[in-house]
Structure formats: C-alpha cells, structure tokens
Amino acid sequence: PGADETAEAVTFGLYDPAGRQGKAITCTVAELAGDDYVYREIGEFVFQGGEYFYFAAAVNPQLESILVDQIVLVREEERDAKKSN
C-alpha cells in the first residue's frame, strides 16, 4: 500500500547464455498489485538447451515483496501446421 503504482516492480524473462539473447518484460507496481494471479506473456522462445528463467526485482524501497507462485509454459504448434488445417 502506498507504493508509486507507475514504478517498476520486477523484470522477468528467458535468457540463452550461449546465443546471448533473450526476451524479457518489466511490470509496474499497478500491473502486479492485488490478491489475484497475474499472467504475463513473454512471447515465443525456441529452447535449445541451457536457457534459464530469471526474475529481477526493481530497486524500490516501497515494495515489501514480490512472490512468484507459478511459471506456466504453453507449447505452441508449428505455424505451418496451423496454416494447413
């Protein structure tokens, strides 16, 4: 309560250290506030092996904590397979 809702709260994403590339998003306090689960999409990512998820809390003394309960991965069909159906 009382935190600046426009302030950054956390950055999270996927990173491939071998290819030195990744995808990440940053969420504000307003996007994550409340008691309900919040689902955020990072985007498509092709796993080659060795990639990792990361969570980096923002330096914000107004935030008491950020809790991560689940990470949900959803497999997408190949785009060509979708087009042929």
Side-chain angles (χ1 to χ4, degrees), residues 4-5 7 9-10 19 22-23 25 28-29 35 37 39 46 51 55 58 60 64 69 73-74 78 82-83:
D4 176 4
E5 292 190 353
V10 65
K23 292 190 177 205
I25 60 171
T28 64
V29 171
D35 295 329
Y37 283 103
Y39 291 91
V46 178
E51 299 85 1
F55 296 87
N60 186 340
E64 182 179 319
D69 184 53
L73 300 178
V74 178
E78 293 290 330
K82 287 181 183 178
K83 291 179 182 177

PDB file of all heavy atoms in Angstrom, residues 4-5 7 9-10 19 22-23 25 28-29 35 37 39 46 51 55 58 60 64 69 73-74 78 82-83:
ATOM      1  N   ASP A   4       4.259   3.839  -5.323  1.00  0.00           N
ATOM      2  CA  ASP A   4       4.011   4.510  -6.596  1.00  0.00           C
ATOM      3  C   ASP A   4       3.630   3.453  -7.617  1.00  0.00           C
ATOM      4  O   ASP A   4       4.440   2.600  -7.977  1.00  0.00           O
ATOM      5  CB  ASP A   4       5.275   5.254  -7.031  1.00  0.00           C
ATOM      6  CG  ASP A   4       5.141   5.896  -8.397  1.00  0.00           C
ATOM      7  OD1 ASP A   4       4.046   5.851  -9.002  1.00  0.00           O
ATOM      8  OD2 ASP A   4       6.150   6.450  -8.867  1.00  0.00           O
ATOM      9  N   GLU A   5       2.383   3.482  -8.095  1.00  0.00           N
ATOM     10  CA  GLU A   5       1.887   2.435  -8.996  1.00  0.00           C
ATOM     11  C   GLU A   5       2.541   2.450 -10.368  1.00  0.00           C
ATOM     12  O   GLU A   5       2.488   1.459 -11.087  1.00  0.00           O
ATOM     13  CB  GLU A   5       0.372   2.524  -9.115  1.00  0.00           C
ATOM     14  CG  GLU A   5      -0.328   2.151  -7.829  1.00  0.00           C
ATOM     15  CD  GLU A   5      -1.821   2.001  -7.992  1.00  0.00           C
ATOM     16  OE1 GLU A   5      -2.356   2.304  -9.076  1.00  0.00           O
ATOM     17  OE2 GLU A   5      -2.456   1.574  -7.026  1.00  0.00           O
ATOM     18  N   ALA A   7       5.781   2.877 -10.742  1.00  0.00           N
ATOM     19  CA  ALA A   7       7.167   2.433 -10.555  1.00  0.00           C
ATOM     20  C   ALA A   7       7.341   0.991 -11.018  1.00  0.00           C
ATOM     21  O   ALA A   7       6.421   0.178 -10.945  1.00  0.00           O
ATOM     22  CB  ALA A   7       7.555   2.551  -9.080  1.00  0.00           C
ATOM     23  N   ALA A   9       8.347  -2.815 -10.836  1.00  0.00           N
ATOM     24  CA  ALA A   9       8.325  -3.779  -9.735  1.00  0.00           C
ATOM     25  C   ALA A   9       9.292  -4.929  -9.996  1.00  0.00           C
ATOM     26  O   ALA A   9      10.060  -5.310  -9.125  1.00  0.00           O
ATOM     27  CB  ALA A   9       6.913  -4.319  -9.532  1.00  0.00           C
ATOM     28  N   VAL A  10       9.238  -5.486 -11.197  1.00  0.00           N
ATOM     29  CA  VAL A  10      10.059  -6.659 -11.497  1.00  0.00           C
ATOM     30  C   VAL A  10      10.265  -6.773 -13.001  1.00  0.00           C
ATOM     31  O   VAL A  10       9.410  -6.389 -13.788  1.00  0.00           O
ATOM     32  CB  VAL A  10       9.404  -7.948 -10.937  1.00  0.00           C
ATOM     33  CG1 VAL A  10       8.089  -8.249 -11.619  1.00  0.00           C
ATOM     34  CG2 VAL A  10      10.334  -9.141 -11.025  1.00  0.00           C
ATOM     35  N   GLY A  19      23.639 -18.154 -26.925  1.00  0.00           N
ATOM     36  CA  GLY A  19      23.337 -17.248 -28.031  1.00  0.00           C
ATOM     37  C   GLY A  19      23.317 -15.788 -27.630  1.00  0.00           C
ATOM     38  O   GLY A  19      23.141 -14.908 -28.464  1.00  0.00           O
ATOM     39  N   GLY A  22      17.709 -13.076 -25.476  1.00  0.00           N
ATOM     40  CA  GLY A  22      16.598 -13.457 -24.634  1.00  0.00           C
ATOM     41  C   GLY A  22      15.407 -12.567 -24.868  1.00  0.00           C
ATOM     42  O   GLY A  22      15.403 -11.722 -25.756  1.00  0.00           O
ATOM     43  N   LYS A  23      14.392 -12.804 -24.062  1.00  0.00           N
ATOM     44  CA  LYS A  23      13.177 -11.999 -24.098  1.00  0.00           C
ATOM     45  C   LYS A  23      12.820 -11.684 -22.665  1.00  0.00           C
ATOM     46  O   LYS A  23      12.911 -12.536 -21.786  1.00  0.00           O
ATOM     47  CB  LYS A  23      12.029 -12.759 -24.756  1.00  0.00           C
ATOM     48  CG  LYS A  23      12.223 -12.988 -26.224  1.00  0.00           C
ATOM     49  CD  LYS A  23      10.971 -13.528 -26.853  1.00  0.00           C
ATOM     50  CE  LYS A  23      11.219 -13.654 -28.351  1.00  0.00           C
ATOM     51  NZ  LYS A  23      10.000 -13.598 -29.101  1.00  0.00           N
ATOM     52  N   ILE A  25      10.245  -8.882 -20.025  1.00  0.00           N
ATOM     53  CA  ILE A  25       9.288  -7.799 -19.853  1.00  0.00           C
ATOM     54  C   ILE A  25       9.461  -7.237 -18.446  1.00  0.00           C
ATOM     55  O   ILE A  25       9.930  -7.920 -17.548  1.00  0.00           O
ATOM     56  CB  ILE A  25       7.830  -8.242 -20.081  1.00  0.00           C
ATOM     57  CG1 ILE A  25       7.417  -9.332 -19.109  1.00  0.00           C
ATOM     58  CG2 ILE A  25       7.598  -8.682 -21.507  1.00  0.00           C
ATOM     59  CD1 ILE A  25       5.934  -9.645 -19.163  1.00  0.00           C
ATOM     60  N   THR A  28       5.003  -3.027 -13.856  1.00  0.00           N
ATOM     61  CA  THR A  28       4.899  -1.957 -12.863  1.00  0.00           C
ATOM     62  C   THR A  28       4.170  -2.469 -11.621  1.00  0.00           C
ATOM     63  O   THR A  28       3.568  -3.544 -11.632  1.00  0.00           O
ATOM     64  CB  THR A  28       4.118  -0.758 -13.425  1.00  0.00           C
ATOM     65  OG1 THR A  28       2.776  -1.170 -13.685  1.00  0.00           O
ATOM     66  CG2 THR A  28       4.761  -0.201 -14.681  1.00  0.00           C
ATOM     67  N   VAL A  29       4.215  -1.666 -10.585  1.00  0.00           N
ATOM     68  CA  VAL A  29       3.509  -1.993  -9.350  1.00  0.00           C
ATOM     69  C   VAL A  29       2.023  -2.174  -9.638  1.00  0.00           C
ATOM     70  O   VAL A  29       1.394  -3.132  -9.179  1.00  0.00           O
ATOM     71  CB  VAL A  29       3.735  -0.887  -8.288  1.00  0.00           C
ATOM     72  CG1 VAL A  29       2.839  -1.093  -7.088  1.00  0.00           C
ATOM     73  CG2 VAL A  29       5.200  -0.849  -7.888  1.00  0.00           C
ATOM     74  N   ASP A  35      -4.605  -9.265  -4.977  1.00  0.00           N
ATOM     75  CA  ASP A  35      -4.547 -10.637  -4.481  1.00  0.00           C
ATOM     76  C   ASP A  35      -4.712 -11.679  -5.573  1.00  0.00           C
ATOM     77  O   ASP A  35      -4.534 -12.860  -5.326  1.00  0.00           O
ATOM     78  CB  ASP A  35      -5.625 -10.863  -3.416  1.00  0.00           C
ATOM     79  CG  ASP A  35      -5.374 -10.021  -2.172  1.00  0.00           C
ATOM     80  OD1 ASP A  35      -4.194  -9.759  -1.862  1.00  0.00           O
ATOM     81  OD2 ASP A  35      -6.358  -9.635  -1.523  1.00  0.00           O
ATOM     82  N   TYR A  37      -4.036 -13.747  -9.197  1.00  0.00           N
ATOM     83  CA  TYR A  37      -2.908 -14.128 -10.036  1.00  0.00           C
ATOM     84  C   TYR A  37      -2.848 -13.201 -11.241  1.00  0.00           C
ATOM     85  O   TYR A  37      -3.866 -12.753 -11.758  1.00  0.00           O
ATOM     86  CB  TYR A  37      -3.051 -15.567 -10.545  1.00  0.00           C
ATOM     87  CG  TYR A  37      -2.731 -16.606  -9.519  1.00  0.00           C
ATOM     88  CD1 TYR A  37      -3.746 -17.302  -8.860  1.00  0.00           C
ATOM     89  CD2 TYR A  37      -1.416 -16.902  -9.199  1.00  0.00           C
ATOM     90  CE1 TYR A  37      -3.449 -18.265  -7.911  1.00  0.00           C
ATOM     91  CE2 TYR A  37      -1.109 -17.867  -8.252  1.00  0.00           C
ATOM     92  CZ  TYR A  37      -2.135 -18.542  -7.617  1.00  0.00           C
ATOM     93  OH  TYR A  37      -1.830 -19.487  -6.684  1.00  0.00           O
ATOM     94  N   TYR A  39      -1.152 -13.043 -15.079  1.00  0.00           N
ATOM     95  CA  TYR A  39      -0.455 -13.779 -16.136  1.00  0.00           C
ATOM     96  C   TYR A  39       0.118 -12.776 -17.116  1.00  0.00           C
ATOM     97  O   TYR A  39      -0.581 -11.892 -17.599  1.00  0.00           O
ATOM     98  CB  TYR A  39      -1.420 -14.729 -16.865  1.00  0.00           C
ATOM     99  CG  TYR A  39      -1.857 -15.870 -15.995  1.00  0.00           C
ATOM    100  CD1 TYR A  39      -2.994 -15.790 -15.205  1.00  0.00           C
ATOM    101  CD2 TYR A  39      -1.105 -17.038 -15.944  1.00  0.00           C
ATOM    102  CE1 TYR A  39      -3.373 -16.838 -14.390  1.00  0.00           C
ATOM    103  CE2 TYR A  39      -1.479 -18.091 -15.138  1.00  0.00           C
ATOM    104  CZ  TYR A  39      -2.619 -17.987 -14.366  1.00  0.00           C
ATOM    105  OH  TYR A  39      -2.989 -19.018 -13.554  1.00  0.00           O
ATOM    106  N   VAL A  46      12.341 -20.360 -28.690  1.00  0.00           N
ATOM    107  CA  VAL A  46      12.728 -21.711 -29.102  1.00  0.00           C
ATOM    108  C   VAL A  46      13.843 -22.185 -28.173  1.00  0.00           C
ATOM    109  O   VAL A  46      14.916 -21.588 -28.125  1.00  0.00           O
ATOM    110  CB  VAL A  46      13.207 -21.738 -30.568  1.00  0.00           C
ATOM    111  CG1 VAL A  46      13.642 -23.132 -30.957  1.00  0.00           C
ATOM    112  CG2 VAL A  46      12.093 -21.237 -31.487  1.00  0.00           C
ATOM    113  N   GLU A  51      19.008 -22.665 -21.528  1.00  0.00           N
ATOM    114  CA  GLU A  51      18.365 -21.385 -21.250  1.00  0.00           C
ATOM    115  C   GLU A  51      17.850 -21.371 -19.815  1.00  0.00           C
ATOM    116  O   GLU A  51      17.684 -22.409 -19.198  1.00  0.00           O
ATOM    117  CB  GLU A  51      17.175 -21.147 -22.201  1.00  0.00           C
ATOM    118  CG  GLU A  51      17.532 -21.093 -23.654  1.00  0.00           C
ATOM    119  CD  GLU A  51      17.588 -22.462 -24.317  1.00  0.00           C
ATOM    120  OE1 GLU A  51      17.319 -23.487 -23.659  1.00  0.00           O
ATOM    121  OE2 GLU A  51      17.893 -22.504 -25.493  1.00  0.00           O
ATOM    122  N   PHE A  55      14.201 -13.645 -12.656  1.00  0.00           N
ATOM    123  CA  PHE A  55      13.349 -12.628 -12.064  1.00  0.00           C
ATOM    124  C   PHE A  55      14.264 -11.637 -11.367  1.00  0.00           C
ATOM    125  O   PHE A  55      15.098 -12.035 -10.560  1.00  0.00           O
ATOM    126  CB  PHE A  55      12.388 -13.240 -11.036  1.00  0.00           C
ATOM    127  CG  PHE A  55      11.425 -14.200 -11.654  1.00  0.00           C
ATOM    128  CD1 PHE A  55      11.773 -15.528 -11.816  1.00  0.00           C
ATOM    129  CD2 PHE A  55      10.183 -13.775 -12.086  1.00  0.00           C
ATOM    130  CE1 PHE A  55      10.904 -16.426 -12.401  1.00  0.00           C
ATOM    131  CE2 PHE A  55       9.303 -14.671 -12.672  1.00  0.00           C
ATOM    132  CZ  PHE A  55       9.660 -15.999 -12.829  1.00  0.00           C
ATOM    133  N   ALA A  58      12.906  -4.849  -8.914  1.00  0.00           N
ATOM    134  CA  ALA A  58      13.394  -3.483  -9.051  1.00  0.00           C
ATOM    135  C   ALA A  58      13.882  -2.969  -7.702  1.00  0.00           C
ATOM    136  O   ALA A  58      13.425  -3.421  -6.654  1.00  0.00           O
ATOM    137  CB  ALA A  58      12.269  -2.585  -9.569  1.00  0.00           C
ATOM    138  N   ASN A  60      13.312  -0.749  -5.254  1.00  0.00           N
ATOM    139  CA  ASN A  60      12.179   0.094  -4.900  1.00  0.00           C
ATOM    140  C   ASN A  60      11.862  -0.132  -3.427  1.00  0.00           C
ATOM    141  O   ASN A  60      11.222  -1.119  -3.070  1.00  0.00           O
ATOM    142  CB  ASN A  60      10.972  -0.258  -5.781  1.00  0.00           C
ATOM    143  CG  ASN A  60       9.799   0.664  -5.563  1.00  0.00           C
ATOM    144  OD1 ASN A  60       9.707   1.330  -4.545  1.00  0.00           O
ATOM    145  ND2 ASN A  60       8.892   0.693  -6.517  1.00  0.00           N
ATOM    146  N   GLU A  64       7.389  -4.294  -0.483  1.00  0.00           N
ATOM    147  CA  GLU A  64       7.734  -5.213   0.600  1.00  0.00           C
ATOM    148  C   GLU A  64       8.212  -6.549   0.048  1.00  0.00           C
ATOM    149  O   GLU A  64       9.208  -7.099   0.499  1.00  0.00           O
ATOM    150  CB  GLU A  64       6.504  -5.442   1.482  1.00  0.00           C
ATOM    151  CG  GLU A  64       6.766  -6.340   2.662  1.00  0.00           C
ATOM    152  CD  GLU A  64       5.527  -6.502   3.515  1.00  0.00           C
ATOM    153  OE1 GLU A  64       4.822  -5.504   3.724  1.00  0.00           O
ATOM    154  OE2 GLU A  64       5.270  -7.632   3.952  1.00  0.00           O
ATOM    155  N   ASP A  69       4.577 -17.657  -7.722  1.00  0.00           N
ATOM    156  CA  ASP A  69       3.978 -18.929  -7.332  1.00  0.00           C
ATOM    157  C   ASP A  69       4.094 -19.965  -8.444  1.00  0.00           C
ATOM    158  O   ASP A  69       4.278 -21.138  -8.178  1.00  0.00           O
ATOM    159  CB  ASP A  69       2.508 -18.718  -6.964  1.00  0.00           C
ATOM    160  CG  ASP A  69       1.842 -19.975  -6.459  1.00  0.00           C
ATOM    161  OD1 ASP A  69       2.387 -20.584  -5.516  1.00  0.00           O
ATOM    162  OD2 ASP A  69       0.804 -20.349  -7.009  1.00  0.00           O
ATOM    163  N   LEU A  73       4.356 -22.743 -18.891  1.00  0.00           N
ATOM    164  CA  LEU A  73       4.838 -22.831 -20.270  1.00  0.00           C
ATOM    165  C   LEU A  73       3.727 -23.427 -21.117  1.00  0.00           C
ATOM    166  O   LEU A  73       3.109 -24.419 -20.730  1.00  0.00           O
ATOM    167  CB  LEU A  73       6.069 -23.727 -20.354  1.00  0.00           C
ATOM    168  CG  LEU A  73       7.281 -23.296 -19.551  1.00  0.00           C
ATOM    169  CD1 LEU A  73       8.392 -24.332 -19.700  1.00  0.00           C
ATOM    170  CD2 LEU A  73       7.761 -21.937 -19.999  1.00  0.00           C
ATOM    171  N   VAL A  74       3.495 -22.847 -22.273  1.00  0.00           N
ATOM    172  CA  VAL A  74       2.466 -23.337 -23.177  1.00  0.00           C
ATOM    173  C   VAL A  74       3.130 -23.662 -24.501  1.00  0.00           C
ATOM    174  O   VAL A  74       3.751 -22.799 -25.117  1.00  0.00           O
ATOM    175  CB  VAL A  74       1.357 -22.278 -23.380  1.00  0.00           C
ATOM    176  CG1 VAL A  74       0.319 -22.780 -24.358  1.00  0.00           C
ATOM    177  CG2 VAL A  74       0.728 -21.900 -22.052  1.00  0.00           C
ATOM    178  N   GLU A  78       3.537 -25.765 -34.503  1.00  0.00           N
ATOM    179  CA  GLU A  78       4.296 -25.119 -35.571  1.00  0.00           C
ATOM    180  C   GLU A  78       3.341 -24.265 -36.408  1.00  0.00           C
ATOM    181  O   GLU A  78       2.223 -24.653 -36.690  1.00  0.00           O
ATOM    182  CB  GLU A  78       4.950 -26.169 -36.472  1.00  0.00           C
ATOM    183  CG  GLU A  78       6.024 -26.972 -35.786  1.00  0.00           C
ATOM    184  CD  GLU A  78       7.263 -26.148 -35.504  1.00  0.00           C
ATOM    185  OE1 GLU A  78       7.551 -25.214 -36.262  1.00  0.00           O
ATOM    186  OE2 GLU A  78       7.932 -26.449 -34.502  1.00  0.00           O
ATOM    187  N   LYS A  82      -0.495 -25.100 -38.334  1.00  0.00           N
ATOM    188  CA  LYS A  82      -1.722 -24.342 -38.115  1.00  0.00           C
ATOM    189  C   LYS A  82      -2.312 -23.891 -39.453  1.00  0.00           C
ATOM    190  O   LYS A  82      -3.514 -23.895 -39.640  1.00  0.00           O
ATOM    191  CB  LYS A  82      -1.457 -23.127 -37.232  1.00  0.00           C
ATOM    192  CG  LYS A  82      -1.209 -23.456 -35.794  1.00  0.00           C
ATOM    193  CD  LYS A  82      -0.991 -22.182 -35.009  1.00  0.00           C
ATOM    194  CE  LYS A  82      -0.672 -22.467 -33.561  1.00  0.00           C
ATOM    195  NZ  LYS A  82      -0.420 -21.237 -32.803  1.00  0.00           N
ATOM    196  N   LYS A  83      -1.451 -23.459 -40.361  1.00  0.00           N
ATOM    197  CA  LYS A  83      -1.921 -22.959 -41.648  1.00  0.00           C
ATOM    198  C   LYS A  83      -2.519 -24.049 -42.504  1.00  0.00           C
ATOM    199  O   LYS A  83      -3.407 -23.803 -43.304  1.00  0.00           O
ATOM    200  CB  LYS A  83      -0.780 -22.266 -42.386  1.00  0.00           C
ATOM    201  CG  LYS A  83      -0.345 -20.979 -41.739  1.00  0.00           C
ATOM    202  CD  LYS A  83       0.805 -20.365 -42.503  1.00  0.00           C
ATOM    203  CE  LYS A  83       1.278 -19.100 -41.814  1.00  0.00           C
ATOM    204  NZ  LYS A  83       2.436 -18.518 -42.506  1.00  0.00           N
TER     205      LYS A  83
END
